[in-house]
Amino acid sequence: MTGAVAPVTAGHPTARRLLALLGLAAGPVAVLCVFFVLPVAGMLAEGFWPDGTFDPQGVLEVLARPRVHRVLWFTLWSAAAGTVLTVLLGVPAAHVLYRLRFPGSRVLRAMLLMPFVLPTVVVGVAFRQVLGAGGPLASLGLDGTPAAIIAALVFFNLAVVVRTVGTAWEGLDPRPAQAAAALGASPRQVFLTATLPALRGAIVSAASVVFLFCATAFGVVLVLGGLRYATVETEIYLLTTQLLDLQAAAALSLLQLVVVTVLLYGAARTRARTAAVARRRTRARRPGRTDVPAVLVTLVALLLVAVPIVTLVVGSLQVGDGWGLDNYRALDTTGTDQVVLVPVTEALGNSLRIAVDATWMSVGLGLLVSVVVTRRSHSTAERRVRGGLDGFFMLPLGVSAVTLGFGFLITLDQPPLDFRDSPLLVPVAQALVALPLVVRTLAPVLAGIDDRQRQAATSLGASPLRALVTVDLALLRTPLLAAAGFAFAVSLGEFGATSFLARDDRPTVPVVIFKLLGHPGSQNYAMALAASVVLAAATATVMFVVERLRVPGVGGF
């Protein structure tokens, strides 16, 4: 019959490609199902089936509590304020650091990117040192206020806007802006009519990710806000660790998961739009008079980053009324009244070993995921499957690390999935936290490879695996090292899930810092400052290496 659609059978090319895609994705999907879906589902089940009986009414009653409303409102407006301020500072800084050519631009880029991988506990300590009693900005009276939390959120997330918008700006086709200038448009008109529309997708994508990170911030809010200013993330922590109200924690986790899914979907749509405009690399130019406003905003951004870090370093060197390295020498002790079971130096060794394991896990899994989501789709069904897989693999980006960590404890405690005493428990959790960043580093590079190179390798007799090794992996060497650096730095500073999973006799440095802050004594606080500087120095070193390995025009968060 004319016009009839042939059925898709197992031998059909479309069906074969779909089966190959699903086969390639089976491994990563299975890993996420065991170590992400199962723990999160277990956490939610504790709330919906508290006594083995389905009780949705109890969850609705939780969401009707006045305190929950206050927590939700504070989470929303603080995340919105942090996002707006981050974008206002980040877009001009992206212009200066990625479009202008001047000595030291690479160092300044790495400096602005460093806060993103700093441990959130370290960021909280640094801002307490700046705004607290005796700090350089103590006279402002911002210590313990929402303004301090929002400033720390901007500090932490500025790198997302700078890197995402900056790499998109590098890859813009310069011809529309050149045509507008040739027709007599002023620099401001060129930006508004040619450049900004092309960057809109990158800006919206960055803003959605920043809002996500602000709304799910944990360590920063816990250190600076305490119990007075709680977000959904810190409230989940309070409900699970202190109040043991798992039903309320599950209700908030479900709400957070829904919001995260919507934001990730929006970010994926705008990211695809961004990739469509990033085709030609725009050459950097020397600064001019029209760049003065952007340069001034960039200086403000650099001050926001530099002042807390410098103040943290200065505080760690203060010993009584003088200066010295005594606080660093004390890292070989367990603090006043033996606050921790092991010295900070031993915890640093634990952190490094865990970070190495988390890095190879996240990079290996992230490489497979990147290959799956970036291969060329030959049908609508294949494109939809890839899009669904991409969104699924990005879910760990915004799901509460607290939810994930507690879910590990209550679901991976029975054979054949009894990981309670496994040394890989913490690395696996940290690898899941780092996975989305690894994918966002590798996927744009893979997506930019001309498919004709693979076809040429195949026509010369190379198998699909051989073509993958000779074409894709050859071009991925440097981005793979950068992704490994990101994963290593993120693992060093991960606190949310690790705070649940790390054993007292094998803690990581962020866990030890938080314990030192929570106990009285000037020596404990001084040790926390010194440990924070050591951890910040380690992540800063990694970020400088990552920036040197960056592929111009691609990559982002």
Side-chain angles (χ1 to χ4, degrees), residues 463-519:
S463 64
L465 180 61
R466 181 69 181 274
L468 177 68
V469 172
T470 57
V471 177
D472 297 65
L473 292 184
L475 296 173
L476 273 179
R477 290 173 185 168
T478 298
L480 270 173
L481 291 174
F486 264 126
F488 190 83
V490 168
S491 174
L492 279 179
E494 206 287 320
F495 176 63
T498 309
S499 63
F500 280 92
L501 302 176
R503 293 174 50 172
D504 290 339
D505 59 340
R506 286 186 296 193
T508 61
V509 177
V511 173
V512 169
I513 292 173
F514 186 70
K515 287 186 177 181
L516 289 170
L517 289 175
H519 288 77

Side-chain angles (χ1 to χ4, degrees), residues 33 55 99 103 129 187 204-205 262 335 338 346 375-376 418 470:
C33 283
D55 183 22
R99 286 287 294 112
Q129 191 67 13
V204 173
S205 178
V262 172
Q338 293 186 332
E346 185 175 332
R375 283 300 194 203
R376 181 184 174 188
D418 188 357
T470 57

Side-chain angles (χ1 to χ4, degrees), residues 211-545:
F211 184 87
L212 182 69
F213 286 149
C214 289
T216 57
F218 178 58
V220 167
V221 181
L222 194 63
V223 173
L224 295 177
L227 299 180
R228 184 180 179 187
Y229 296 108
T231 61
V232 170
E233 188 87 351
T234 58
E235 188 72 1
I236 293 172
Y237 176 80
L238 171 66
L239 291 168
T240 52
T241 60
Q242 298 186 30
L243 302 180
L244 298 179
D245 189 349
L246 298 185
Q247 190 167 47
L252 290 178
S253 297
L254 178 63
L255 184 63
Q256 189 180 55
L257 183 60
V258 171
V259 173
V260 163
T261 303
V262 172
L263 285 173
L264 287 177
Y265 175 76
R269 293 288 299 272
T270 51
R271 189 165 54 244
R273 209 174 305 147
T274 302
V277 301
R279 294 289 183 246
R280 296 168 59 92
R281 186 183 175 192
T282 304
R283 296 181 61 184
R285 58 175 176 81
R286 293 187 178 277
R289 259 186 307 181
T290 57
D291 300 311
V292 171
V295 170
L296 292 177
V297 174
T298 305
L299 290 176
V300 173
L302 289 170
L303 282 175
L304 175 66
V305 170
V307 170
I309 294 176
V310 171
T311 306
L312 181 66
V313 174
V314 171
S316 71
L317 295 172
Q318 287 182 326
V319 182
D321 296 329
W323 305 88
L325 298 176
D326 292 3
N327 297 331
Y328 290 89
R329 296 189 185 99
L331 297 181
D332 200 28
T333 70
T334 55
T336 305
D337 298 326
Q338 293 186 332
V339 172
V340 290
L341 295 181
V342 301
V344 175
T345 50
E346 185 175 332
L348 180 60
N350 294 334
S351 291
L352 293 174
R353 285 191 295 270
I354 290 170
V356 169
D357 288 334
T359 298
W360 68 257
M361 291 178 189
S362 60
V363 171
L365 188 61
L367 179 59
L368 278 176
V369 171
S370 300
V371 171
V372 168
V373 301
T374 58
R375 283 300 194 203
R376 181 184 174 188
S377 298
H378 294 80
S379 65
T380 302
E382 193 176 350
R383 185 168 60 253
R384 288 175 178 172
V385 170
R386 291 188 194 278
L389 289 172
D390 187 28
F392 175 67
F393 292 130
M394 288 300 102
L395 279 178
L397 187 67
V399 172
S400 167
V402 172
T403 298
L404 184 64
F406 193 78
F408 267 48
L409 291 181
I410 62 177
T411 57
L412 303 181
D413 61 345
Q414 294 179 0
L417 299 175
D418 188 357
F419 287 90
R420 287 173 300 180
D421 297 322
S422 172
L424 296 180
L425 184 63
V426 176
V428 167
Q430 294 185 354
L432 288 177
V433 174
L435 176 64
L437 297 181
V438 172
V439 174
R440 290 278 70 85
T441 302
L442 299 180
V445 181
L446 280 171
I449 298 176
D450 192 337
D451 202 47
R452 289 173 294 184
Q453 297 181 49
R454 302 186 184 102
Q455 294 171 358
T458 303
S459 66
L460 292 174
S463 64
L465 180 61
R466 181 69 181 274
L468 177 68
V469 172
T470 57
V471 177
D472 297 65
L473 292 184
L475 296 173
L476 273 179
R477 290 173 185 168
T478 298
L480 270 173
L481 291 174
F486 264 126
F488 190 83
V490 168
S491 174
L492 279 179
E494 206 287 320
F495 176 63
T498 309
S499 63
F500 280 92
L501 302 176
R503 293 174 50 172
D504 290 339
D505 59 340
R506 286 186 296 193
T508 61
V509 177
V511 173
V512 169
I513 292 173
F514 186 70
K515 287 186 177 181
L516 289 170
L517 289 175
H519 288 77
S522 58
Q523 182 61 43
N524 290 335
Y525 186 75
M527 286 177 61
L529 294 181
S532 298
V533 172
V534 170
L535 202 52
T539 53
T541 301
V542 173
M543 284 311 301
F544 276 110
V545 174

